[in-house]
Amino acid sequence: MDRDQELRQKAQQEVEKYQVIVTSDPYRPTYHIAPPVGLINDPNGWIQWNGIYHLFYQWMPFGTEHGAKFWGHLSSTNLVDWKQEPIALTPSEWFDKDGCYSGSAISHDDQLHLFYTGNVKTNGVRETYQCLATSKDGIHFDKKGVLIELPNGFTAHFRDPKVWNDDSKFYMVIGAQKEDNTGSVVWYESEDLQDWEYKGILADGFGYMWECPDFFLLDGQYVLLFSPQGLRAEGINNRNVYQSGYVIGKWNDHFTFGEFSELDRGFEFYAPQTTLDEKGRRLLFGWMGVPDQKEEYHPTKKHHWIHQLTLPRELELKDGKIYQKPVEELVELRDELIVHELGPITKTIPRASEILLDEITSEKGYITIFDYATIDFDKKNRTIKLTRPAFDNGEKEERVGIVEKDLNDIRIFLDHSSFEIFINGGELVFTSRMFASFYHSTLEVQAQGQLSLWSLRQKF
């Protein structure tokens, strides 16, 4: 048995060993993607290929801490029902033995190509390689080895290749740390996906490391999406340990861009990745977690799993700002319309629910979920504040966002231990975990407006 087969077998044994305890956790989501066991983090290789959506993800099957990552794999025809596929990549070779780190997917010559970072550590010294694996069926992948080694001027924090094609050429961006310990994104160019020419630094300017870059056109403008590390908190901004956000600019070999904007205002959101689907939509998945941010206090760890991914979201650019909205297919999750009446209201609701409060007329109001999380709004100040107890000490912590114009609607997806909040059709988004007591099941809405609430079907 070779190393790859050995790792696959051991991972499957972990899934089987802990399947009952994982699935019996009352915090286990019913329609969000979570690991079959162990830890999940960055979405990878997100693509629609031959009509099927393929979503890969960073996976540590042997515990709930970070380590030598695998690539897990899911597929879907409708963005609602997901099928667990065989493991795509294992850390089995000399160039990825300490982790098949994040990367992306692209279709070429009727094959699916996965580009990823091979992580190697020897006596505490890191090495990093940009690697390729290909597949003819989208299920079984053949590793082709190292295509790009570390260029001069950078530390070994050089990872997360995102590849795309344009005008018969292929391009790649990679998150990097320069030798002066500042963050950047570099770019490469190729004619054939095999030989890559280093073109230089695409963007830099703040932080000590930029992870998970994604570069694309959105409504005619270039967007660089990335996760910078090392930003200082400033007022309501940059309140998490690490951020995820974007800049908008112009690109003609040189990328000039404006101010950095956070993509999500919640407590747990990181490492988003997008793809362009066959309908022409720019679709995003994110990780519902943040590295080094109180992961050790998640109560799901005792059930041998931690973290989950966001719902798929469609991106639009309006007035220089990215809007995110749940993909339209998610209406298929709706089971029963439980509430359709004017607020205020107090009601017992299911742990998997969709809530919509629109036509809001109150100047101020709030929504409290399970006596745990509260969403306060103030129309005059155009502020929305999310408050919850901290995982480590239970003290109240908050995140705040500001809408450009009047507050019109609040849409919330609840799923046992998470919620995603979409304000004004996705102008603001708050993504967070939620570990509310199971003795509490009440939704309280203190606001004037039309309230609709659906129970949602179990998908996992």
Side-chain angles (χ1 to χ4, degrees):
M1 182 185 299
D2 64 19
R3 181 61 174 161
D4 175 71
Q5 292 174 320
E6 178 186 358
L7 287 170
R8 290 173 185 272
Q9 184 179 90
K10 287 183 176 180
Q12 182 58 35
Q13 288 171 349
E14 288 293 295
V15 173
E16 294 172 357
K17 180 179 179 180
Y18 294 112
Q19 182 178 25
V20 173
I21 191 171
V22 168
T23 57
S24 65
D25 187 355
Y27 286 131
R28 184 78 175 170
T30 57
Y31 60 91
H32 280 82
I33 293 167
V37 69
L39 179 146
I40 191 173
N41 58 307
D42 306 0
N44 292 159
W46 173 217
I47 191 172
Q48 188 181 21
W49 186 59
N50 294 336
I52 297 175
Y53 293 98
H54 291 266
L55 179 64
F56 303 83
Y57 57 87
Q58 291 282 279
W59 182 36
M60 164 46 66
F62 306 125
T64 54
E65 287 74 37
H66 297 273
K69 302 291 175 59
F70 291 55
W71 272 38
H73 183 195
L74 296 156
S75 66
S76 176
T77 59
N78 61 5
L79 296 174
V80 176
D81 303 289
W82 292 92
K83 177 184 177 184
Q84 191 76 54
E85 300 288 1
I87 295 167
L89 302 174
T90 69
S92 59
E93 306 296 331
W94 69 264
F95 49 79
D96 61 16
K97 70 180 183 66
D98 294 300
C100 297
Y101 277 13
S102 292
S104 58
I106 190 170
S107 175
H108 180 59
D109 287 343
D110 297 321
Q111 293 189 61
L112 190 59
H113 292 62
L114 302 184
F115 288 85
Y116 68 100
T117 297
N119 184 52
V120 176
K121 288 184 179 179
T122 304
N123 297 323
V125 177
R126 182 190 300 268
E127 299 172 22
T128 184
Y129 305 97
Q130 311 313 312
C131 309
L132 171 65
T134 63
S135 174
K136 295 180 179 179
D137 62 4
I139 303 298
H140 305 92
F141 290 88
D142 180 22
K143 290 183 181 179
K144 301 300 183 181
V146 177
L147 297 187
I148 296 173
E149 297 194 22
L150 183 66
N152 293 330
F154 299 92
T155 75
H157 291 289
F158 191 86
R159 53 183 174 266
D160 312 334
K162 179 64 189 291
V163 180
W164 74 98
N165 68 301
D166 188 22
D167 295 330
S168 301
K169 286 188 177 181
F170 298 97
Y171 300 93
M172 177 192 294
V173 287
I174 299 174
Q177 183 183 70
K178 295 184 287 185
E179 287 184 337
D180 63 1
N181 292 324
T182 59
S184 66
V185 169
V186 303
W187 67 291
Y188 286 76
E189 186 178 281
S190 175
E191 301 282 347
D192 59 3
L193 292 178
Q194 298 293 323
D195 298 311
W196 291 90
E197 180 185 359
Y198 174 68
K199 303 295 287 187
I201 293 175
L202 180 75
D204 61 2
F206 48 86
Y208 62 76
M209 175 62 192
W210 290 12
E211 292 195 307
C212 303
D214 195 346
F215 194 53
F216 52 86
L217 269 173
L218 185 63
D219 298 324
Q221 296 192 58
Y222 280 99
V223 175
L224 175 62
L225 204 69
F226 59 105
S227 297
Q229 298 181 336
L231 303 191
R232 291 184 178 181
E234 297 180 358
I236 66 172
N237 298 322
N238 306 332
R239 302 303 303 180
N240 289 333
V241 173
Y242 306 124
Q243 279 62 53
S244 290
Y246 63 94
V247 294
I248 300 171
K250 297 180 180 180
W251 182 47
N252 186 8
D253 283 345
H254 180 68
F255 183 54
T256 57
F257 56 90
E259 292 185 3
F260 175 77
S261 299
E262 289 180 80
L263 193 61
D264 193 290
R265 308 296 302 190
F267 292 96
E268 280 85 30
F269 182 86
Y270 197 74
Q273 186 173 109
T274 76
T275 193
L276 193 67
D277 79 348
E278 294 169 3
K279 295 180 180 180
R281 301 179 296 180
R282 177 63 58 176
L283 303 183
L284 174 147
F285 267 100
W287 172 35
M288 206 179 289
V290 176
D292 306 321
Q293 185 168 287
K294 301 180 181 179
E295 293 177 276
E296 65 271 29
Y297 296 101
H298 285 229
T300 66
K301 288 169 64 71
K302 65 183 179 182
H303 285 263
H304 298 275
W305 72 279
I306 186 172
H307 300 313
Q308 59 192 58
L309 302 185
T310 69
L311 294 172
R313 306 170 181 178
E314 180 180 356
L315 303 187
E316 295 179 345
L317 192 61
K318 299 179 183 179
D319 300 321
K321 187 173 187 177
I322 288 182
Y323 280 62
Q324 304 170 77
K325 61 182 181 181
V327 295
E328 60 184 0
E329 289 89 338
L330 293 177
V331 298
E332 297 178 22
L333 285 172
R334 293 175 181 172
D335 185 19
E336 180 183 358
L337 180 62
I338 296 174
V339 176
H340 186 67
E341 58 187 90
L342 296 176
I345 187 173
T346 301
K347 190 174 183 65
T348 299
I349 66 170
R351 292 264 162 173
S353 304
E354 179 188 349
I355 303 162
L356 176 61
L357 178 65
D358 60 6
E359 303 174 16
I360 300 171
T361 58
S362 306
E363 286 301 310
K364 293 184 178 181
Y366 65 85
I367 300 171
T368 297
I369 303 167
F370 304 149
D371 197 33
Y372 180 90
T374 298
I375 305 155
D376 290 282
F377 68 84
D378 184 326
K379 277 195 168 187
K380 181 179 179 180
N381 294 319
R382 297 181 287 110
T383 58
I384 294 89
K385 179 175 69 175
L386 171 64
T387 307
R388 74 168 190 197
F391 296 162
D392 54 350
N393 58 22
E395 295 182 1
K396 293 294 184 182
E397 55 182 356
E398 64 182 41
R399 298 291 183 267
V400 179
I402 301 175
V403 293
E404 294 292 330
K405 298 179 181 179
D406 198 19
L407 173 66
N408 297 312
D409 56 81
I410 301 173
R411 188 180 182 188
I412 307 169
F413 285 82
L414 302 179
D415 195 359
H416 293 258
S417 62
S418 69
F419 50 85
E420 297 181 59
I421 306 166
F422 299 86
I423 310 292
N424 280 3
E427 178 186 351
L428 284 181
V429 183
F430 294 77
T431 299
S432 294
R433 299 304 302 275
M434 172 184 65
F435 300 115
S437 167
F438 297 105
Y439 294 105
H440 297 288
S441 57
T442 299
L443 173 73
E444 181 183 3
V445 179
Q446 288 297 327
Q448 297 288 339
Q450 178 64 57
L451 181 70
S452 302
L453 186 146
W454 296 265
S455 59
L456 299 182
R457 294 185 289 116
Q458 181 170 328
K459 306 307 297 181
F460 292 103

